[in-house]
Amino acid sequence: PVSEEFQNGEGFGYIVAFRANGTRGWKEKMVTSADATMYKYRDETFPPLTAFEVKLGVYNNKGDGPFSKVVIIHSAEGEPREAPSDVKAYSISSSEIRVTWKLSNPGPGKPRGYEVSYWKEAEQEESGEKRRTVKNETAMVLTGLEGNSIYLITVKGFNSIGQGPASAAVTAKTRKSPPAQPPSNLMWIQEGNNISLSWDPVKAKDNESDVIGYMVRIR
């Protein structure tokens, strides 16, 4: 902003003048605050990354003052236009699903990160959860999920302007939870340098994973 001693009178403000590069007529917008440092202009008819010539002038109640030198700036690139491709999801435990995808094509609207949405099959998408990547990562592990449940998952790119389209939903089913009960009736018999162990087997419940073996720890 222009210091008060250089405003030279009441009613001080700014004139923002701009035109698309290569065109003739200037558009002018008045900014009436003497302390203003920014002006936003929105016009959906211009494509992303359009070059503009811009200059900034001043005025007060006595008339217009000088304009700054002309600078070239570009309009924002716009939100991502394409959905991520080759989205895959698979369970890695009873509470975790790993999601992978391929980067969107480069160009105007380049994603700065990705948002993964997921919800249970019996629920609505609006009730689901969302998680965002750090920068342009192409994989994410979803945690805190329910075991033995089917989830639907979509991925979309985003940048500072907005979000792009979501990918088609893929499904993945979390594994069943591990058995909750330990072996019972543990017994041991020492025969010289050998110890024989025995126990009653664990029978998994319907919502638990089948027992495929046992781990013996000795100390």
Side-chain angles (χ1 to χ4, degrees):
V2 175
S3 299
E4 187 174 358
E5 62 266 28
F6 296 116
Q7 295 176 11
N8 295 332
E10 300 295 326
F12 183 87
Y14 299 93
I15 305 171
V16 182
F18 54 94
R19 64 186 178 187
N21 201 10
T23 60
R24 299 189 63 180
W26 290 90
K27 292 186 178 181
E28 293 188 352
K29 300 294 181 180
M30 312 298 284
V31 181
T32 58
S33 172
D35 297 323
T37 60
M38 183 176 61
Y39 172 75
K40 292 183 179 181
Y41 176 73
R42 186 175 185 88
D43 189 335
E44 299 289 353
T45 63
F46 288 106
L49 302 179
T50 297
F52 284 88
E53 295 179 282
V54 180
K55 60 183 179 179
L56 186 63
V58 290
Y59 72 94
N60 63 16
N61 289 343
K62 293 295 184 180
D64 295 346
F67 274 89
S68 67
K69 293 181 179 180
V70 175
V71 296
I72 303 295
I73 64 171
H74 291 79
S75 62
E77 62 181 353
E79 63 274 0
R81 299 178 182 179
E82 294 187 9
S85 60
D86 200 24
V87 179
K88 298 178 181 178
Y90 57 92
S91 173
I92 56 178
S93 74
S94 61
S95 62
E96 298 173 309
I97 289 176
R98 180 174 177 83
V99 186
T100 63
W101 60 90
K102 289 184 179 179
L103 294 174
S104 305
N105 292 329
K110 181 180 179 181
R112 304 302 179 188
Y114 292 88
E115 182 178 89
V116 179
S117 301
Y118 57 100
W119 63 98
K120 292 179 66 174
E121 185 181 40
E123 299 175 347
Q124 297 295 320
E125 180 177 358
E126 292 75 18
S127 63
E129 302 288 337
K130 294 180 174 61
R131 286 185 55 191
R132 288 189 166 188
T133 64
V134 178
K135 298 184 178 180
N136 271 333
E137 297 175 347
T138 59
M140 177 185 291
V141 176
L142 306 177
T143 60
L145 308 178
E146 292 187 21
N148 195 30
S149 300
I150 297 176
Y151 283 85
L152 283 80
I153 302 161
T154 62
V155 184
K156 64 178 66 171
F158 68 89
N159 59 19
S160 60
I161 305 301
Q163 295 181 336
S167 65
V170 297
T171 60
K173 185 177 182 180
T174 53
R175 299 180 183 182
K176 292 183 178 181
S177 301
Q181 299 298 320
S184 59
N185 295 326
L186 179 64
M187 300 178 62
W188 62 277
I189 300 174
Q190 184 173 359
E191 299 174 347
N193 293 330
N194 299 324
I195 293 179
S196 298
L197 297 175
S198 64
W199 58 83
D200 291 343
V202 174
K203 184 177 181 180
K205 299 179 180 179
D206 291 340
N207 63 342
E208 296 177 340
S209 301
D210 293 335
V211 177
I212 60 174
Y214 296 89
M215 178 183 294
V216 179
R217 292 178 177 173
I218 302 173
R219 66 178 182 184

